[in-house]
Amino acid sequence: MQIPLARPDITKRDREAVLSVLKTPILSLGPKLKEFEKKFAKYVGRKYAIAVSSGTAGLHLAIKSLGIKKNDEVITTPFSFIASANCILYEKAKPIFVDIDSRTRNIDPEKIEAKITKKTKAMVIVDIFGQPADWGSILRIAKKYKLKIIEDSCEALGSKYKGKNCGTFGEVSVFAFYPNKQMTTGEGGMIVTDNKKIAELCYSWRNQGHSGRDKWLDFIRLGYNYRICDINCALGISQLSHIEKTIKKRDWIARTYNKYLGPIKGLIIPYVAPYTTKMSWMHYVPQLSPKYSRKDRDIILLKLRKVGIGCRDYFPPIHLMPPYRKLDCQRGDHPICEHISERVIALPLHNEITEQQIIYIAKNFKKILWKN
Ligand SMILES: *Cc1c(COP(=O)(O)O)cnc(C)c1O
């Protein structure tokens, strides 16, 4: 049996939507771009949506739009996909990592205040694996210290914190559509905000700093090519139309995993906080109990792969990767993140997984743990 870790769910209608764009002469900056943005803004519940070429491009523009610049300090989590910290370095600001909560694996609000200095301007807060960050506490801190918030909701499309959508907590929030996310456009991302000025800047930066007026080559500021083409947008529109079905299926998979993996000794199933009123699972990531080492975990990953089970170590600590080591980050800086990173195992999560496959995964997991 071969069970991939992730795979996009592309329906017949998705394929038809893509083909229909290819029958028109407008492949970029066309009607599908506007339609995608409009429908996405409505789904998340924000005034503006700006589609871009990737989640990373979206995070970069989000950082710029809040005026973050050289030597500013930006608080963020070390337990995430590296893009959530890289965007801070793009503008030569300084990422200040804060350790995570051992259960939710999101940034720990109780450790934030000790890291705030006169130079702190903003926080990049990630909703990891689809679980919302502790927004109540985070918004209180942001208000007290007048810090701006960028929400990296790239993993949390459809999740809710106390009934409120992820992607509505940041002054600017960002989503991503890489093929392993809950929905995909191949490559792509979306910036959402209620701030008109920020939205206008992002529309402009996305397209080389264009004025937005009906005039060709009317560039009024330094911008980028962070455009996404209409072919991708058509796929996005179609994928968004069945997102609730996808979220439900992934939730069923997570609950089925819990049922079969829950009783296995040495394995800790993912925690869902009471404030998470809707969980849109991006990854299903159980952890090995503390008695296992990183070496054990790496051997277990290999053994799982050997029996056809796709799996990965989501995520290694960002602060221990070379671009951050250079900034004086070192082992021991964020012990909870490091402990968890050494023990996580992301398991297959996509629309085609069956109960039978989950039983197969649980059976093999048990066998492998027994021998370790
Ligand atoms: C996927 C993801 C991104 C953006 O990824 P792209 O590949 O650039 O679209 C950013 N942050 C997190 C936490 C992600 O999971």
Side-chain angles (χ1 to χ4, degrees), residues 54-56 59 80-81 83-84 126 152 154-155 176 178 181 187-188:
S54 71
T56 306
L59 286 168
S80 174
F81 181 56
S84 61
V126 182
D152 178 343
C154 289
E155 303 204 347
Y178 189 74
K181 312 271 173 186
E187 292 280 4

Side-chain angles (χ1 to χ4, degrees), residues 40-301:
F40 196 88
K42 185 162 177 238
Y43 176 76
V44 175
R46 300 218 65 166
K47 277 194 191 144
Y48 306 97
I50 305 95
V52 288
S53 51
S54 71
T56 306
L59 286 168
H60 181 199
L61 296 189
I63 288 279
K64 269 184 82 82
S65 74
L66 295 181
I68 292 160
K69 55 185 191 311
K70 195 170 172 180
N71 298 328
D72 287 346
E73 292 181 359
V74 180
I75 284 170
T76 194
T77 173
F79 188 75
S80 174
F81 181 56
I82 196 166
S84 61
N86 282 352
C87 62
I88 300 166
L89 290 187
Y90 294 159
E91 290 302 309
K92 302 190 164 53
K94 193 173 174 206
I96 303 293
F97 294 107
V98 170
D99 208 354
I100 56 174
D101 177 276
S102 62
R103 291 201 293 175
T104 64
R105 302 179 284 198
N106 274 316
I107 195 166
D108 185 348
E110 289 193 0
K111 298 195 185 110
I112 292 177
E113 284 186 89
K115 296 288 187 86
I116 295 174
T117 72
K118 276 193 197 128
K119 290 183 183 167
T120 313
K121 291 286 157 61
M123 299 193 269
V124 174
I125 303 291
V126 182
D127 303 307
I128 203 73
F129 304 144
Q131 173 125 258
D134 180 358
W135 285 108
S137 311
I138 287 162
L139 293 173
R140 257 194 311 278
I141 295 166
K143 201 168 163 199
K144 185 170 164 192
Y145 294 93
K146 296 195 171 63
L147 302 179
K148 311 251 187 192
I149 292 186
I150 292 155
E151 180 181 7
D152 178 343
S153 35
C154 289
E155 303 204 347
L157 180 62
S159 287
K160 289 182 197 275
Y161 170 89
K162 295 187 179 172
K164 211 167 169 272
N165 280 333
C166 283
T168 60
F169 295 100
E171 183 155 3
V172 193
S173 303
V174 178
F175 291 91
F177 311 122
Y178 189 74
N180 67 352
K181 312 271 173 186
Q182 290 91 327
M183 64 165 269
T184 188
T185 57
E187 292 280 4
M190 191 74 82
I191 303 163
V192 294
T193 182
D194 297 325
N195 183 318
K196 190 176 177 195
K197 254 203 180 130
I198 287 178
E200 281 171 353
L201 274 171
C202 290
Y203 286 125
S204 173
W205 282 325
R206 162 181 77 185
N207 188 19
Q208 307 286 7
H210 200 272
S211 67
R213 289 184 291 255
D214 196 11
K215 201 174 146 203
W216 197 242
L217 307 183
D218 190 20
F219 303 113
I220 56 172
R221 56 176 68 84
L222 180 65
Y224 305 85
N225 176 0
Y226 283 170
R227 296 185 303 263
I228 177 171
C229 74
D230 272 44
I231 306 166
N232 298 45
C233 291
L235 180 55
I237 294 163
S238 189
Q239 286 261 300
L240 186 64
S241 75
H242 52 87
I243 187 72
E244 287 305 321
K245 209 175 135 199
T246 302
I247 291 169
K248 268 208 189 103
K249 179 72 202 276
R250 294 169 82 96
D251 189 53
W252 174 84
I253 296 167
R255 282 184 291 113
T256 309
Y257 267 130
N258 286 346
K259 179 175 151 192
Y260 290 104
L261 297 180
I264 298 178
K265 255 182 108 172
L267 201 58
I268 305 163
I269 60 170
Y271 170 78
V272 177
Y275 62 59
T276 302
T277 51
K278 183 177 170 197
M279 180 76 181
S280 170
W281 294 85
M282 161 74 200
H283 293 301
Y284 182 84
V285 190
Q287 265 166 241
L288 298 172
S289 68
K291 70 169 179 176
Y292 291 97
S293 67
R294 181 200 174 139
K295 243 194 191 145
D296 295 330
R297 192 274 314 272
D298 291 344
I299 293 167
I300 292 166
L301 284 173

